[in-house]
Structures are given as structure tokens and as C-alpha cells.
Amino acid sequence: MTDSKIAHRAQKIESERERTERRGIYRDKRLERERDVLHGEWNSLNRISLSNGTLPAAGSSSGSGPGVSLDSSINLDQGDPALFEEYWRKAGERFNVAIGGGELMSYFSNLNSMCWFLLPELDVSVRRLHRLIGNAATEGRHVVVGTGSTQLLQAVLYALSSGDSPDQEPLSVVCAAPYYSCYPEVTGILRSGLYKWEGDARSFDKDGPYIELVTSPNNPDGSIRGPVVNRGDGKVVYDLAYYWPQYTAITHQADHDIMLFTFSKSTGHAGSRIGWAILKDREVARKMIKFMEVTSIGVSKEAQFRASKILGAICDGYESLSPEVLPESFFEYSKRLMIKRWGKLEEAVKLGGGIFSLPKFSREYCLFSTEFTETRPAFAWLKCKEELKDAEGLLRAHKVLARGGSKFGVDPTFVRVSMLSREDVFDAFLERLSAIKGGITSNGSHA
Amino acid sequence: MTDSKIAHRAQKIESERERTERRGIYRDKRLERERDVLHGEWNSLNRISLSNGTLPAAGSSSGSGPGVSLDSSINLDQGDPALFEEYWRKAGERFNVAIGGGELMSYFSNLNSMCWFLLPELDVSVRRLHRLIGNAATEGRHVVVGTGSTQLLQAVLYALSSGDSPDQEPLSVVCAAPYYSCYPEVTGILRSGLYKWEGDARSFDKDGPYIELVTSPNNPDGSIRGPVVNRGDGKVVYDLAYYWPQYTAITHQADHDIMLFTFSKSTGHAGSRIGWAILKDREVARKMIKFMEVTSIGVSKEAQFRASKILGAICDGYESLSPEVLPESFFEYSKRLMIKRWGKLEEAVKLGGGIFSLPKFSREYCLFSTEFTETRPAFAWLKCKEELKDAEGLLRAHKVLARGGSKFGVDPTFVRVSMLSREDVFDAFLERLSAIKGGITSNGSHA
């Protein structure tokens, strides 16, 4: 044997010894692993109840288990759409998906489309749904899918601000207050040289090009909105996440250059992280696709596949293409739920004797449901009496966690509360809200 | 009737007329829609073949249909892992997933974890797989999931560069050339004020803190790498996308502060967009989670669920927890395929008479497969003779699309070619490569 062969064999023997040792460790680890798996399954079983407001906040580990107990906080800070879950649990097999181990494996979805990562089935379902609801024009438009409308917003900012000149000033991004609290965060997180958050559109007075975000119905206050800056050198991005019949009247077919929608708010499937943009301009679409390609090489196909199936099956139901028609279609069901919740909330606020007030919404004719209807937003935008000062603190003192006005660019007498929580959480919220009466101390806390 | 009631009724009648009209349009649209659906299904059926190289490039619409015809270009520019598909198609039910309409709906996955959007099942499967393969330490580490390792890379850059001071200089990001062509793109796309791409780590001589990306085995050239700058004020990010037994010997359990892995390259499920980071430092994990929260509110649960199922079932197979054991486990199968392909490629290059050359790889003992083995990278890093100058152009002239050296920070005599294409595409590539002989014109094109 040569020296090098001997060295190799010695190395091999040593390696095998190590491996045998590792196998021993494996056996010890198996118990640990099985414990891990059981722990995982426990978490999984408790997932829904854990995630719907019985714990103080996402990421906290200070509580566990389902149910709303008297001393636990109710989390209505995020807008997790739990109230739609029951419908989907009972909705039947048409909405289920099955994916084989060898399916949906490629990066690519459709090489015949500029948006090469968009599943053709999802493109079809999105267009069908908008035609059915009548809330947005899709004919001749580009559809671009994103990891939630959050990623699409960044893609839009990139598309509108990335010019040829490397030393251009960052483009101003504005939105009329109260604005969605995530806009400043998303715009500012990487300190981009392409664009910059400039706050409330109403006080925006810089010259030159800008981007105005218009959310309608608005998050947090549910108001129906249009642009407020209205200058020729501005681009308007319409975030229409809540322009669906369960939240507001579909008064017209929206037909803007740039419109964003999301699976999270249309059907309540927030965990899928699927959003879509409807775009008139090919160049804007191309740049958005480029952004998605560079930052995430497309969008999860499993999520796209499931969204296409669910949106498609909703359309089938309405169009009676499917033999199995539910007693109640999703948008009727969810609208009925929202009406019921808003009725209860308005009652509770009225009984509160003026401590809190709610925005007023006008009645409009809904082309989809063919009846007059009020906006019933996904969030309640509560305002407390001026002298109470801190609406978020007031709720927190009653173990209700919600998001204060300052995060939305307005004063802290406002607070945003999710209307989409699980039923028992919503009822507990109403109970706690009703308990806020009299005995208010001068600093706004409740004695 | 009051005036306003009459006005309302008039509005209602008008709206109903419009709606009836829209219904008429719907009927006309149904045929179009059915055509769309059929078109979608056609695309879907052809998805795999379309996406694996028979078309010039993603996003092109200049070709259609499956199969490699004589006059169509072969696209080996991207690393779409099509060669693993056959295994998964035959792998059986253990790797399938089914998701009910009401499942995985919440934003939240686990409120007991700092990474609130990570499915506990995926956390368990990732740790199990690394223990099985022995390629990375996970004990006591944080696991953070991302929309592919691409999003995680951005999260890492954010985590390492976002300090308290708003007017800090952008942190330098470097990687030894040849570096993965996406690094400069991802780092530069938003012109972040937090970090800045500074190119080849070997020529980096700026003072102060920096981030060095270390890809091992390296994309594009398959080399086993460590950091090259080695200064105290640097942070090293290990991209270990290819540190799996089908590509290289598992010589040690990697145990770095920051390690990135991806589902795309470990099993070939690129369409899922699932990556994970293994992190020692809690603060780095916290900031990465924050980045993911702001930019995409977590990661698709369908994709996470499927990844957890597939990775878990692989582990079951090796650990015989599952009754149904495949004749060949995934990593043995894929290693065998890679050995076969590399054998064929080396043969073809040898027959080319020196027009192209390949990197040399040393034999190392693999602790997982308990045998000596060579690195067989996911990409072939071909170098053409100096006088031929343009390796990418040379291949393009023979209808093989690949990525030239300049995109990786080196000279254009290099070109990166995917080794993971479908079998017939790979064979066609070898055939075309073998045809490149003699008759070279002085400008490097093939007469």
C-alpha cells in the first residue's frame, strides 16, 4: 500500500468511528425528536385558537392554550381574519387542494407570460372573480402576483421610482392620514435611495414627482377615498384590499392604472400570502416582475395553486358551474356576519354614553348585491373623548390590545380595533368595551 | 313617496338595468372564460416541459410545446432543478399533501415562538433533516423561514446593517469572485442606505465593518470555500444552499453564526420558495423576523406545510419510521444522477479537444454516505480557451443559453451551465457541446 492509501484508510476508519458515535447520539436524539414532533403537533392543534387573540401579541410566549379567560388580554391589534374560518371549514371539498410530491416543482409557471412565475390558473381565477364581483376592470390588464400585497407595494414603489439616473432624488411617497400603519414601515425599512416616506398627503407640498397611496375603503377608518394631492407629476397607487362586498358597496368597477388586491382580505386566507396587482401599463408590470424575480424568485406555487382553486370555486358557485351549491355563498355569508358585528359594536358604543365614537358611513347602492348598504369595515376606528387622550391605553387597561392613532399619523384619541376576530374573542371585546364607563382618571387611565 | 325615495328607486332601476346588461356580457364572456381555462390547463400540462429549456428564456413567448427540437434553444441559464422531478413523481403518497379550505388561514403559525410565522412542523423537519445528514448544527440555534433563501439574504443584510444611527455609512457587502450573480442584484436593487455591494472580496480594502458572503460549495464553480477577508470587524454569512450529499461530500457539521439553506436545492422543490436560516444570535434572528414581518408578513403556510411534510418524510424513510421504504432514498438517488451526469459531461469536454475545461475537484470522505466522493456541483463552470474569449457567445452560437463569467465578476472565458435540467435537455446539451470543434473564427464565433 502506498502512503497515501494508508492515510486514506486511516482517515476512513476514523470517520467511521465518528459516524458510529453519531449513530449512537442519533438513538439518544430519537426520544428528543419524538418529543419535538409531539410538541409540534400540539402547537399545530392549538394553532387556530392561539393565533386569534388570546395572547398578548405575536411573538410573545407569556401565555398558552385556547379560550378567552377573564384575565387574559384580547389581541385585536392585527387584522387576522379569523371570523371567516368557520365558513371555509364547512364549505366542502370543492375548496380543498391536494398536491403530489412531484408537482409544482419548477421555478417557472408560464413561459408564455411576461409574469413567468404566475400560475395560469390563478390568472384565470383572479379575472373571473373580478368579473363576477364587478369591483375591478381586468380586461386587457396585466395581472402580477406577489407574496401578499405587501410585497407588491414594494414592487410598485420600485417600478415607479427606478429610473436611469443613479443620482436622482428619492421619490416622495405619501398617503392621506389616517394611513395604513405599515406604509411608513415598508417604505422606510431599507432606507432606499429610490423612494422616501413623506407622511400625510394632505400636508405634502414638495415640488416634483411623487407617489400617492390611496386605500379605499381606507385602513384604518373605512372611508371611501380618492387622491388628495392631484398634481400632474404624481402617480397614484390604489390599495383596494377591502373593496369587496362584505366590507362595502361595490359602487363601480374600479379602473385605475395600478390596483392592489389580496387573498387575505377578500376570502380571509391570510396565511397564504397571496396578493395581486392589476396594471394598465406594461412597463410598470415588467419592472414589478423584475422586482419579484430579484427579491424572491417568484411566489410560492402551492399558495398560488390553492388561491386559484378557492377563488375559482367561489366563481363556480355563483355561476352554478358546480353541481354542489352551498346554502349561502361566501360574500353573502361574510356580509351578513359583518352587518351583525357592526350592529353589536354600534350598540355597545352607544351604551358607553359617549366615551367612544365611531365614523359615520353613508349608504350606497351595491351593484353586486343589488341593494343599498353601508360600509362595514374590517376595522373599527374608535375615537375616545378628547379629555381621555389615549384611546389605546384606555383599551389596554381593559385588556384589549389595539393599535393607537399615532401609528396611523393622527392623534392618540383614535384607536384601530380588528372586527375580524373569532366570535368568542369579539364578544369578550364588546363586554370589555361596555365596561368602560365613568371613573376615568385625568390621565386617561381607568380607575 | 319623497323625492329622495324616488331618486333612490330610479337609481336602483338604472343599476339593475346595468347589472342585467353585465349578466348578458357574462354569458358572452363564458365562452372566452372556458377558453381561458382550457388554455390554462394546457399551460399547466405543458408546464414542466416548457420550463426546462426548450424556450429561449423565461418570459419569452417565441416558442411553445414540449420536447427538444433541433432548431430550438436549450435554456441552461437558470438552475431549475428538473432532474429531481422524476423521483418525486414516483415517490409515493407519503410526500403528498392535502389542505382543506379552512386550514392554514391565519397570519400566525406559533405565538410561542419568536418566529411567529414559522410552522412548528417545519421547524421540526428542518432540524431532523440536518441531524440526519449531519451537514449543520441546529441544537440551540434559531430557525427562521423565508420566501426562498433570497428573501433571507436580504433579511440578513438588514439584520446586520440596521443600527441606531440614521446617518451611518452603508455597510460593505462582498463575496470572492466568481460570486453568485444574484448577490449584486439583490444588494443593489433598492439602493439601500444600509448596505452596499462592493464586489470581489479578494480586492476589498475598505476599512471598517463589512459583510462577507461565503457560498460553499460555491455557485457558480462548486469550490469549497471559507472567508477571504478575515478581519475582526466583519460578519460572515454562509450560503450553504449546495451543502447536501448529492452535490458534495459532507465533511463536517457546519456550525457558523449565520447559515442559509433552501428547499429548492436540497430536494429540488424550487417552486415552493422556501428557505431557512440557522442562527446562533437571538438579536440577528429577531431583526430578520422583523424584516420578514414588514416586507411580506411572514411566509406562505401552504409552502411551509408541504416542505415540512416532504423533509419529514425523507427523514422517516432513512430512520425507518415509515412502513413504506423506497428502493432508493432521495439523497442516494440524486447523488447517483449527479455522478452519471458529471461523468458524461467530463467525457464530452475531453472529446472537445481542449476547447473547454472544467474545474478540478478533490475527493473527500463524506460522513453521510461513508465513502470518498468528489464534488459534483449543480452547475458546470466551463472555461473556454483564452483566444476564444466569449464562452457564453460560443454556446449561444450552438443554441445553448447559459450565463457568462462577467455576471459572476470574472472574465467572459467562463460560462455557467445548469446541470439540473431534464434528461433530454441535458443530452441535447452534451450533443451540442460535442459539436463545438475546430472551425473557430478569430472573434470567437463558430463558423
Side-chain angles (χ1 to χ4, degrees):
Chain A
M1 269 173 107
T2 65
D3 280 357
S4 94
K5 272 192 185 160
I6 291 170
H8 269 172
R9 175 169 291 190
Q11 198 183 340
K12 185 165 179 172
I13 290 168
E14 173 59 17
S15 298
E16 280 182 352
R17 193 195 58 72
E18 276 176 30
R19 189 165 161 81
T20 309
E21 205 177 83
R22 263 174 52 222
R23 283 206 183 112
I25 296 170
Y26 275 159
R27 272 189 294 276
D28 296 343
K29 296 286 175 220
R30 181 170 295 182
L31 276 175
E32 275 178 52
R33 206 153 47 221
E34 283 175 359
R35 189 204 54 200
D36 284 353
V37 172
L38 285 171
H39 180 74
E41 283 175 356
W42 181 89
N43 270 325
S44 184
L45 282 169
N46 285 284
R47 193 190 303 142
I48 302 310
S49 43
L50 279 172
S51 63
N52 291 322
T54 58
L55 291 180
S60 156
S61 59
S62 61
S64 67
V68 181
S69 70
L70 276 176
D71 58 349
S72 69
S73 283
I74 293 172
N75 182 1
L76 298 171
D77 182 75
Q78 293 88 11
D80 204 34
L83 97 151
F84 302 138
E85 273 189 24
E86 199 187 339
Y87 180 87
W88 296 114
R89 290 200 177 279
K90 295 176 178 168
E93 290 185 359
R94 288 190 300 133
F95 299 95
N96 298 351
V97 293
I99 305 169
E103 293 180 310
L104 305 175
M105 286 187 66
S106 170
Y107 286 109
F108 304 109
S109 293
N110 184 0
L111 289 183
N112 290 321
S113 162
M114 183 165 68
C115 193
W116 55 267
F117 50 82
L118 168 61
L119 279 188
E121 307 90 299
L122 181 58
D123 187 46
V124 169
S125 290
V126 159
R127 292 173 196 269
R128 275 184 77 191
L129 187 68
H130 284 300
R131 277 190 218 113
L132 171 74
I133 305 296
N135 60 342
T138 59
E139 201 103 354
R141 308 297 191 284
H142 303 276
V143 171
V144 174
V145 66
T147 309
S149 58
T150 308
Q151 192 193 23
L152 288 167
L153 174 64
Q154 295 156 78
V156 167
L157 297 181
Y158 169 77
L160 298 179
S161 66
S162 60
D164 298 324
S165 131
D167 44 32
Q168 73 188 33
E169 278 289 292
L171 200 59
S172 298
V173 180
V174 297
C175 180
Y179 43 71
Y180 179 30
S181 51
C182 291
Y183 292 156
E185 279 193 299
V186 165
T187 311
I189 188 165
L190 291 181
R191 292 189 204 149
S192 173
L194 296 177
Y195 49 77
K196 193 182 171 196
W197 176 250
E198 293 282 358
D200 191 354
R202 289 206 181 81
S203 54
F204 177 67
D205 58 3
K206 274 196 180 172
D207 284 336
Y210 65 93
I211 298 170
E212 180 173 353
L213 309 177
V214 173
T215 320
S216 184
N218 191 38
N219 174 1
D221 68 357
S223 61
I224 304 302
R225 290 185 150 196
V228 304
V229 182
N230 294 315
R231 285 202 323 246
D233 46 2
K235 296 277 186 188
V236 182
V237 177
Y238 285 83
D239 183 343
L240 303 182
Y242 302 96
Y243 191 43
W244 295 99
Q246 69 268 48
Y247 304 118
T248 194
I250 303 304
T251 56
H252 67 290
Q253 190 187 47
D255 187 20
H256 309 290
D257 288 0
I258 301 171
M259 303 187 282
L260 304 181
F261 288 92
T262 162
F263 196 33
S264 307
K265 305 305 177 185
S266 51
T267 66
H269 290 84
S272 305
R273 314 309 311 121
I274 288 291
W276 59 91
I278 300 172
L279 307 158
K280 276 189 192 164
D281 187 72
R282 186 182 163 85
E283 188 56 16
V284 170
R286 195 190 60 76
K287 285 189 174 176
M288 288 179 70
I289 291 162
K290 170 78 179 169
F291 179 86
M292 231 78 72
E293 185 177 320
V294 170
T295 63
S296 61
I297 321 186
V299 175
S300 159
K301 280 193 182 177
E302 291 88 354
Q304 289 192 63
F305 180 66
R306 186 166 177 231
S308 76
K309 188 82 183 256
I310 289 174
L311 300 182
I314 289 176
C315 296
D316 289 349
Y318 278 97
E319 294 165 2
S320 298
L321 289 176
S322 160
E324 172 209 0
V325 177
L326 293 168
E328 197 174 26
S329 296
F330 174 70
F331 290 106
E332 275 73 46
Y333 171 90
S334 51
K335 182 180 172 179
R336 191 167 55 75
L337 251 57
M338 294 305 292
I339 289 174
K340 204 170 135 198
R341 287 209 169 174
W342 272 93
K344 283 184 179 181
L345 176 66
E346 279 158 2
E347 191 65 19
V349 165
K350 217 160 74 183
L351 288 173
I355 289 177
F356 283 107
S357 60
L358 284 166
K360 299 271 173 287
F361 302 107
S362 66
R363 285 176 78 77
E364 298 286 342
Y365 187 76
C366 177
L367 295 169
F368 177 73
S369 56
T370 64
E371 60 186 14
F372 279 88
T373 183
E374 263 174 28
T375 298
R376 299 155 307 271
F379 295 101
W381 184 236
L382 289 163
K383 182 177 170 55
C384 69
K385 280 182 177 171
E386 288 295 334
E387 62 266 33
L388 297 179
K389 286 173 187 156
D390 175 14
E392 180 186 335
L394 192 56
L395 289 183
R396 201 189 314 109
H398 287 79
K399 296 191 185 298
V400 175
L401 303 175
R403 202 171 291 182
S406 55
K407 290 207 175 130
F408 303 90
V410 297
D411 72 76
T413 59
F414 288 94
V415 65
R416 190 195 77 167
V417 180
S418 171
M419 291 292 285
L420 306 184
S421 67
R422 217 176 46 196
E423 194 69 18
D424 60 337
V425 174
F426 183 71
D427 289 341
F429 160 60
L430 290 183
E431 215 165 277
R432 292 177 193 193
L433 187 70
S434 304
I436 308 179
K437 282 175 198 165
I440 307 293
T441 65
S442 61
N443 65 0
S445 71
H446 188 69
Chain B
M1 272 173 106
T2 64
D3 280 358
S4 94
K5 271 191 185 159
I6 290 169
H8 269 171
R9 175 168 291 189
Q11 196 182 341
K12 185 164 179 173
I13 289 168
E14 174 59 17
S15 298
E16 279 181 352
R17 193 194 57 73
E18 276 176 30
R19 191 167 159 80
T20 309
E21 205 177 83
R22 263 174 50 222
R23 282 205 183 112
I25 296 170
Y26 276 158
R27 271 189 294 277
D28 295 344
K29 296 286 175 219
R30 182 170 295 182
L31 277 175
E32 274 178 53
R33 205 153 47 221
E34 283 175 0
R35 188 203 56 198
D36 285 353
V37 172
L38 285 171
H39 180 74
E41 283 175 356
W42 183 88
N43 270 325
S44 185
L45 282 169
N46 285 285
R47 194 189 303 141
I48 303 310
S49 43
L50 278 172
S51 63
N52 290 323
T54 58
L55 291 180
S60 157
S61 59
S62 61
S64 67
V68 180
S69 70
L70 276 177
D71 58 348
S72 69
S73 283
I74 294 172
N75 183 1
L76 298 171
D77 182 74
Q78 293 88 11
D80 205 34
L83 97 152
F84 302 138
E85 274 189 23
E86 199 188 340
Y87 180 87
W88 296 114
R89 290 200 177 278
K90 295 176 178 169
E93 289 186 0
R94 289 190 299 132
F95 299 95
N96 298 351
V97 294
I99 305 170
E103 294 181 309
L104 305 176
M105 286 188 65
S106 170
Y107 286 109
F108 304 110
S109 293
N110 184 1
L111 290 182
N112 290 321
S113 163
M114 183 165 68
C115 193
W116 55 267
F117 50 81
L118 169 61
L119 279 189
E121 306 90 299
L122 181 58
D123 188 45
V124 169
S125 290
V126 159
R127 291 173 196 270
R128 276 184 77 191
L129 186 68
H130 284 300
R131 278 192 218 112
L132 171 74
I133 305 296
N135 60 343
T138 60
E139 201 103 353
R141 308 296 191 286
H142 303 276
V143 171
V144 174
V145 66
T147 309
S149 59
T150 308
Q151 192 193 24
L152 288 167
L153 174 64
Q154 294 156 79
V156 167
L157 296 181
Y158 169 77
L160 298 179
S161 66
S162 60
D164 298 324
S165 132
D167 44 31
Q168 73 188 33
E169 278 288 292
L171 200 59
S172 298
V173 180
V174 297
C175 181
Y179 43 71
Y180 179 31
S181 52
C182 290
Y183 292 157
E185 279 193 299
V186 165
T187 310
I189 188 165
L190 291 180
R191 291 190 204 147
S192 173
L194 297 176
Y195 48 77
K196 193 182 171 197
W197 176 251
E198 293 283 357
D200 191 353
R202 289 205 181 82
S203 55
F204 177 66
D205 58 3
K206 274 196 181 174
D207 284 336
Y210 65 93
I211 298 171
E212 181 173 353
L213 309 177
V214 173
T215 320
S216 183
N218 191 39
N219 174 0
D221 68 357
S223 60
I224 305 302
R225 290 185 151 196
V228 304
V229 182
N230 294 314
R231 286 202 323 247
D233 45 2
K235 296 277 187 188
V236 182
V237 177
Y238 284 84
D239 183 343
L240 303 183
Y242 302 95
Y243 191 42
W244 295 99
Q246 69 268 49
Y247 304 117
T248 193
I250 304 303
T251 56
H252 67 290
Q253 190 187 47
D255 187 21
H256 309 290
D257 288 1
I258 300 171
M259 302 186 281
L260 305 181
F261 288 92
T262 163
F263 196 33
S264 307
K265 305 305 177 185
S266 51
T267 66
H269 290 85
S272 305
R273 313 309 312 120
I274 288 292
W276 58 91
I278 300 173
L279 307 158
K280 276 189 192 165
D281 187 72
R282 186 181 163 85
E283 188 57 16
V284 169
R286 195 189 60 75
K287 284 189 175 176
M288 287 179 70
I289 291 162
K290 170 77 179 169
F291 179 86
M292 231 78 72
E293 185 177 320
V294 171
T295 62
S296 62
I297 321 185
V299 175
S300 160
K301 280 192 182 178
E302 291 88 353
Q304 288 192 64
F305 180 66
R306 185 165 178 232
S308 75
K309 188 81 182 260
I310 289 174
L311 300 182
I314 290 175
C315 296
D316 289 349
Y318 278 97
E319 294 165 2
S320 299
L321 289 176
S322 159
E324 172 209 0
V325 177
L326 294 169
E328 196 174 27
S329 297
F330 174 70
F331 290 106
E332 275 73 48
Y333 171 89
S334 51
K335 182 180 172 179
R336 191 167 54 75
L337 251 57
M338 294 305 293
I339 289 174
K340 204 170 134 198
R341 287 210 170 175
W342 272 92
K344 283 185 180 181
L345 176 66
E346 280 158 2
E347 191 65 19
V349 166
K350 217 161 73 185
L351 288 173
I355 289 178
F356 284 107
S357 59
L358 284 165
K360 298 270 173 288
F361 302 107
S362 66
R363 285 176 77 79
E364 298 287 341
Y365 187 76
C366 177
L367 295 169
F368 177 74
S369 56
T370 65
E371 60 185 14
F372 279 88
T373 183
E374 263 174 29
T375 298
R376 299 155 306 271
F379 296 100
W381 185 236
L382 289 163
K383 183 177 169 56
C384 69
K385 280 182 177 170
E386 288 296 334
E387 62 266 33
L388 297 179
K389 286 173 187 157
D390 175 14
E392 180 186 336
L394 192 55
L395 289 183
R396 201 188 315 109
H398 288 78
K399 296 192 185 295
V400 174
L401 303 175
R403 202 171 292 182
S406 55
K407 291 209 174 127
F408 302 91
V410 296
D411 72 76
T413 58
F414 288 94
V415 65
R416 190 195 76 168
V417 179
S418 171
M419 290 292 286
L420 306 183
S421 67
R422 217 176 46 194
E423 194 69 18
D424 60 337
V425 175
F426 183 71
D427 288 342
F429 160 60
L430 291 184
E431 215 165 279
R432 293 177 193 192
L433 187 70
S434 305
I436 308 180
K437 282 176 198 165
I440 308 293
T441 64
S442 61
N443 65 0
S445 71
H446 187 69

